[in-house]
Amino acid sequence: MKGINYLTNDKGLKTAVVIDLKIHREEVEDFLDGLEAKSRKNEAKEEASLVFERILQ
């Protein structure tokens, strides 16, 4: 795939990826947003009305 390069270790196993952000910026941002959402999955939830009230004060 154009703009995607893999880094390999001494055994030839893929260990990292280099992504050209000029080509794939949107996809990378979407991927990172998904990771961020997943990391917050177990955080406490708040009612939207309470958040809006606090913002408006």
Side-chain angles (χ1 to χ4, degrees):
M1 178 182 272
K2 186 174 182 178
I4 307 289
N5 294 293
Y6 294 96
L7 302 180
T8 58
N9 64 13
D10 294 337
K11 296 178 182 178
L13 299 173
K14 294 176 183 175
T15 58
V17 64
V18 177
I19 301 171
D20 186 336
L21 294 177
K22 290 180 182 176
I23 298 172
H24 300 291
R25 178 174 300 281
E26 231 177 277
E27 292 86 348
V28 170
E29 287 176 356
D30 290 345
F31 175 75
L32 294 174
D33 286 346
L35 288 179
E36 179 73 25
K38 186 176 179 181
S39 75
R40 294 180 176 197
K41 182 175 131 179
N42 295 321
E43 287 185 7
K45 309 281 189 274
E46 289 188 72
E47 291 292 326
S49 60
L50 297 176
V51 174
F52 294 141
E53 184 178 317
R54 189 170 61 240
I55 290 171
L56 294 174
Q57 287 181 2

